[in-house]
Amino acid sequence: MLNQTAELPGANPSGRTLPKSLWVATAVPLAAQPELEGGHQFDVAIVGAGFTGLRTAIELALAGVRVAVLEAMEVGYGASGRSGGQVNPILRMTPDEVSAEIGRHNGERLVAATLASGNDLFEDIKRFGIDCDPVQKGWLQVAHTAAAMRSLERLQKAWNAVGGEISALDRKECQEWSGSADYVGGLFHPSAGHVQPLSLVRGFAQAALQHGAKIFEHSTVTAISRAANNKWMLRTRRGSVIADKVVIATNAYTGDLWPKLKRTIMPLVSLQAATEPLSSLQRSRVLPRETTIADTRRAIIYARYDRDGRLSIGCMGSYPDRPDALGGFSRLKSGTERIFPTLKGVEWQFKWGGRIAITPNFLPHLHEPAPGLLIGLGFNGRGVAMTSVMGRALGAKLLGARDADLPFPVSAIKAIPFHRILAAILPVATPFLAVADRLDRMK
């Protein structure tokens, strides 16, 4: 049963353009920001008011830089306001593989920044006084097959060798920690946790505003071009900005603003749903330690509680604005009941979707296609923590840091071959990922 119509007690339905979701219903408010009108001048203009753009804006504003953030919809409209809110401080490859991909110099910095990313984010939340229901009780990364568990153990050994504190759990321990008998084992990441993502991005916006940044909503940037004196001109429907430097931080919602950029990432869809508040008995049987969880399935299932005891759970979907398309929500519901049988028949109060940006090498990308124009995108499902790493890196580079001292290499824009065909196929292919996951269990 799904009930999306009843307003929650104390709800804040202030998502003016966001689709109805648990996060919109429970987020802290943020005053609407004006649309850009007329001509303005700033030191830096940032396109995109999500985690990356706003964390960059904070970094610059703290240094006294005059910065403007231009958002096509409203703060947090994209992945930042729709995500699962999980703070997962690890990449999908080993540290040696990271260095082999981007070079040892940047690789060592990225590995160190990744290991620190969870703690750094929770410190930022305290530093800026952000009300976003932060919980740092760790993350269970669980394996659905023995082969998947061997891969996780390989990750654990490799990351612990460079300073990680990741624990391996056997089947029994994994069941005790997760409440599910569906997994053969897993890893526990102690510095991980979760947040209310829309509240976090609004908190970043508030911090940026308090330190002098300007935010303009409903101000779609329609063109970027060179202006006089090597400055940049950004045009919107009703206004324009002249800026010394520009940051594009549109991630999975990247359009045609810069040539080939949207073809550097695959915009996969993350589908989520949230239950009614669970009883104390149900909560004692499902994630009893209030950790987050994500498994190794191709159609990944991930979950966490919100502040009121609702279980928010997600998987790969097909279309962000159609949660039921191609059986998406049905797969999520049946998968939840299989993993956590005690939730069979639970009421579902919300369902929603959003896009995430996947890069070919599963690492974030930092580009500088023209002097003074920076781009940071591609967080591969690790965006809640890694966007802050990127925001600080973009800010540091704009403030004069050497490329060699950044956690990301400054790389060229490279379009994914056959991108248009792949993007068209992915929504239809998603249901087959779940089939492949089931076949794994039969081997």
Side-chain angles (χ1 to χ4, degrees):
M1 178 179 179
L2 178 74
N3 176 13
Q4 286 185 280
T5 59
E7 290 294 335
L8 301 176
N12 168 42
S14 58
R16 301 177 298 279
T17 54
L18 276 161
K20 186 173 176 63
S21 70
L22 172 60
W23 310 137
V24 170
T26 61
V28 298
L30 176 70
Q33 301 302 302
E35 181 178 353
L36 183 75
E37 295 185 352
H40 302 262
Q41 292 194 22
F42 292 92
D43 298 324
V44 178
I46 298 173
V47 183
F51 290 143
T52 305
L54 291 168
R55 189 61 187 82
T56 305
I58 292 171
E59 202 74 6
L60 296 173
L62 287 170
V65 175
R66 296 177 304 141
V67 58
V69 182
L70 307 177
E71 167 58 45
M73 302 298 282
E74 67 176 280
V75 168
Y77 175 83
S80 300
R82 306 174 190 230
S83 81
Q86 294 196 17
V87 182
N88 297 338
I90 191 174
L91 301 173
R92 298 178 185 274
M93 56 181 70
T94 68
D96 283 346
E97 289 168 340
V98 172
S99 291
E101 180 67 30
I102 65 175
R104 184 157 299 278
H105 200 73
N106 291 114
E108 289 176 350
R109 282 161 174 73
L110 178 55
V111 166
T114 300
L115 285 172
S117 62
N119 288 330
D120 285 349
L121 178 61
F122 286 106
E123 284 300 316
D124 269 354
I125 290 168
K126 294 178 184 177
R127 176 186 180 189
F128 300 118
I130 297 174
D131 180 8
C132 62
D133 306 327
V135 175
Q136 193 175 17
K137 294 187 177 180
W139 167 41
L140 296 176
Q141 189 177 16
V142 293
H144 72 297
T145 65
M149 187 61 204
R150 289 192 291 271
S151 295
L152 289 185
E153 289 172 336
R154 176 172 171 267
L155 276 180
Q156 179 220 8
K157 292 175 182 177
W159 282 88
N160 281 355
V162 295
E165 298 178 345
I166 307 166
S167 303
L169 307 178
D170 61 22
R171 181 186 288 271
K172 181 180 178 182
E173 291 170 324
C174 192
Q175 182 172 356
E176 291 173 353
W177 282 63
S178 68
S180 174
D182 200 60
Y183 299 112
V184 301
L187 305 180
F188 176 67
H189 302 259
S191 66
H194 59 83
V195 297
Q196 212 282 19
L198 185 56
S199 290
L200 176 60
V201 72
R202 289 177 175 177
F204 277 160
Q206 193 62 54
L209 291 167
Q210 288 173 350
H211 288 92
K214 303 294 183 184
I215 300 174
F216 299 95
E217 294 182 315
H218 302 287
S219 300
T220 303
V221 177
T222 56
I224 298 178
S225 60
R226 277 293 190 187
N229 300 320
N230 286 323
K231 294 181 183 289
W232 292 95
M233 167 75 80
L234 293 80
R235 297 188 181 278
T236 69
R237 180 179 60 166
R238 295 182 177 176
S240 63
V241 168
I242 297 289
D244 297 329
K245 297 178 180 179
V246 173
V247 173
I248 297 176
T250 47
N251 201 42
Y253 290 76
T254 294
D256 296 317
L257 186 60
W258 193 262
K260 297 183 181 180
L261 183 59
K262 75 175 182 181
R263 289 189 279 144
T264 66
I265 54 100
M266 295 307 302
L268 299 188
V269 171
S270 177
L271 168 66
Q272 293 176 73
T275 68
E276 63 185 333
L278 300 185
S279 68
S280 57
L281 178 60
Q282 289 171 317
R283 293 188 66 174
S284 72
R285 296 175 177 175
V286 177
L287 300 179
R289 304 191 187 194
E290 298 183 355
T291 62
T292 66
I293 191 171
D295 68 20
T296 53
R297 290 177 170 86
R298 297 174 183 83
I300 185 173
I301 289 191
Y302 58 95
R304 44 74 58 98
Y305 283 108
D306 83 333
R307 68 185 181 213
D308 299 317
R310 297 178 186 84
L311 188 70
S312 173
I313 190 161
C315 70
M316 299 306 298
S318 295
Y319 301 100
D321 55 346
R322 295 162 54 196
D324 293 305
L326 300 180
F329 175 68
S330 295
R331 286 197 311 278
L332 180 57
K333 180 176 179 292
S334 62
T336 301
E337 293 176 350
R338 181 181 66 252
I339 295 167
F340 301 116
T342 192
L343 297 183
K344 189 170 185 179
V346 71
E347 179 183 324
W348 295 86
Q349 291 188 322
F350 300 93
K351 57 182 175 180
W352 69 97
R355 294 197 293 268
I356 60 175
I358 304 296
T359 59
N361 63 359
F362 294 102
L363 292 174
H365 290 177
L366 195 165
H367 306 300
E368 188 177 17
L373 190 145
L374 301 182
I375 302 168
L377 81 173
F379 299 102
N380 302 282
R382 299 288 191 267
V384 180
M386 292 307 295
T387 47
S388 284
V389 178
M390 178 63 77
R392 287 190 290 268
L394 291 168
K397 181 169 171 58
L398 289 166
L399 293 170
R402 301 183 309 153
D403 290 357
D405 293 331
L406 302 175
F408 309 100
V410 180
S411 60
I413 291 176
K414 295 181 181 179
I416 297 171
F418 309 108
H419 182 275
R420 182 175 296 179
I421 296 173
L422 292 172
I425 291 173
L426 278 174
V428 181
T430 299
F432 294 99
L433 297 178
V435 174
D437 289 331
R438 288 196 292 272
L439 291 176
D440 283 344
R441 305 293 291 271
M442 299 172 62
K443 294 177 182 178

